[in-house]
Amino acid sequence: MNALLRSADVFLGPRARTGWAHLVFGGAMLMPYYLASSVLVGPLLGEDEPFGSLATVLTTFAVALPIVAMSALLPLSRPLSLGLLHALHGIPATELASGPARSTGARLRTVAWCTLHFGVGGVISGMSLAVPPFAFALTLLPFSERLRHHDLVRFAAFDGPAQWVLSPLSGVAMLIALAGVAVSTAELLGRAARVLLGPTPSDRLAAAEQRATVLAQRNRVARELHDSVGHALSAVSLQASAARRVLDADPAFARQALAAIEETARRTVGELDAVLGLLRQDDDGDRAAALPLGPTLAELDELLLRTRAAGVTIAPSVSGELGALPDTVSREAYRIVQEGLSNALRHAGQVPVRLRIAVEKEELEITMENPVPARDRVPDEGGGRGLRGIAERATLLHGSARAGEDDGVWRLAVRLPTGGAR
């Protein structure tokens, strides 16, 4: 019983039905080409009907296939074929290429696939239309006098009582044979699809480039979140601590710290909302284009003011014109300074920080130094996410970043090329 159920599933299960439907769809797609070819073939053979003699049908079929091959060169041919294979044949998208053919070899394989699919689909569709009515007629042959005298039945040599008794079995056998041919053909066609429409080297390269782009975009979003939110939390924590300590002794400073907390929270919530909105988007290309540009070194004074509200003494030294920097360099430099200050707040607390920014003709140099308390001297401190983010930002701009402790002083040194900014 189980073997019978498994056999029925092979011939009538969902996979068999969708594979058969895929073949019939190929035959349906062939019909416009067949009818167009019949306009040429019919007059040459003296036939007015597109489905006249067997010779006319076969000749028209043979003429239609080259036209199918030429139309398969259109860019949409491969995406449509891939969609049908995935939807009806159940082939995973990972085993197939994606998008239009990008190389001559891929186009030729698409031509081969469309010709094979339409041709084989046309044959199976013709069989699916012709065999079931004939098989049904054979099953009714013992019970119908009119069917016994039909020309088609006589042609099939069912013209005696013995043949009439066996005709129902013949009809059932024909239906089973049709199902077996269709299922086997669909399986073979699925294997051919993996060969003809599988990813080519150029497809794999394009997919790798797309994955690299997506990963780069995700890393950029992660850096923005880390730098913005991490700095804000460190600053707000120290600002609140400073305000609590001097609330009674220095109300003016406490008010200044609370105002800085309010401004930091407001700005950070806005940046966080913008970035999280991008993470909800499905289109990675739009995500890259819409990613917030972020602040530049033109807002350096506001950053230093908010950091000083946490009780940190900052001694800045700026040489050169910050406004002459390219926007990309200025934005990345702002985030680098922000992360450097965040590191000082998290790891050193309320310590004096020396910040030097020098804009030269071909290079921007950022140097930040602060003393490291003995309890916080960790040899592997350079392995944090923030410092890795600084290194990534510098590398993306073809610059360099070094960070480390030297004789109780933590030093961050970054060099970014400016492209000849003046």
Side-chain angles (χ1 to χ4, degrees), residues 232-297:
L233 291 177
S234 298
V236 165
S237 176
L238 287 179
Q239 287 163 354
S241 176
R244 177 182 56 80
R245 289 196 304 270
V246 300
L247 182 61
D248 296 328
D250 192 350
F253 179 83
R255 285 193 295 270
Q256 180 183 359
L258 292 174
I261 291 174
E262 180 182 2
E263 173 62 21
T264 301
R266 181 192 62 78
R267 175 188 290 267
T268 305
V269 167
E271 294 179 357
L272 182 62
D273 183 65
V275 174
L276 291 180
L278 295 173
L279 293 177
R280 299 187 185 100
Q281 295 181 1
D282 295 328
D283 190 340
D284 291 319
D286 291 342
R287 179 183 301 170
L291 191 63
L293 296 179
T296 65
L297 285 180

Side-chain angles (χ1 to χ4, degrees), residues 43 56 96 136 145 229 318 389:
T56 301
L96 300 172
F136 184 69
E145 183 69 24
V229 177
V318 179

Side-chain angles (χ1 to χ4, degrees), residues 267-399:
R267 175 188 290 267
T268 305
V269 167
E271 294 179 357
L272 182 62
D273 183 65
V275 174
L276 291 180
L278 295 173
L279 293 177
R280 299 187 185 100
Q281 295 181 1
D282 295 328
D283 190 340
D284 291 319
D286 291 342
R287 179 183 301 170
L291 191 63
L293 296 179
T296 65
L297 285 180
E299 302 177 50
L300 178 64
D301 290 340
E302 297 179 14
L303 174 64
L304 298 181
L305 182 63
R306 293 195 303 270
T307 307
R308 288 190 180 104
V312 177
T313 302
I314 304 176
S317 172
V318 179
S319 61
E321 293 293 332
L322 297 181
L325 291 171
D327 290 341
T328 302
V329 176
S330 187
R331 284 193 296 269
E332 298 300 327
Y334 179 94
R335 290 303 192 191
I336 289 172
V337 173
Q338 184 183 55
E339 179 57 29
L341 294 174
S342 298
N343 284 339
L345 290 173
R346 283 195 297 267
H347 300 295
Q350 296 174 326
V351 296
V353 177
R354 293 188 298 274
L355 171 64
R356 178 179 175 270
I357 301 177
V359 181
E360 300 177 358
K361 183 177 180 180
E362 299 288 342
E363 189 176 66
L364 169 65
E365 182 179 352
I366 301 172
T367 305
M368 191 177 301
E369 298 178 347
N370 62 268
V372 179
R375 66 178 186 280
D376 292 327
R377 295 180 184 177
V378 181
D380 194 30
E381 191 176 359
R385 293 189 182 91
L387 293 178
R388 285 201 298 269
I390 290 176
E392 289 174 0
R393 291 181 185 276
T395 300
L396 288 174
L397 294 178
H398 304 288

Side-chain angles (χ1 to χ4, degrees), residues 133-154:
F134 183 62
F136 184 69
L138 290 180
T139 58
L140 296 180
L141 189 61
F143 314 103
S144 174
E145 183 69 24
R146 180 177 296 181
L147 287 175
R148 296 173 192 171
H149 299 287
H150 195 277
D151 293 339
L152 185 61
V153 174
R154 289 180 178 178

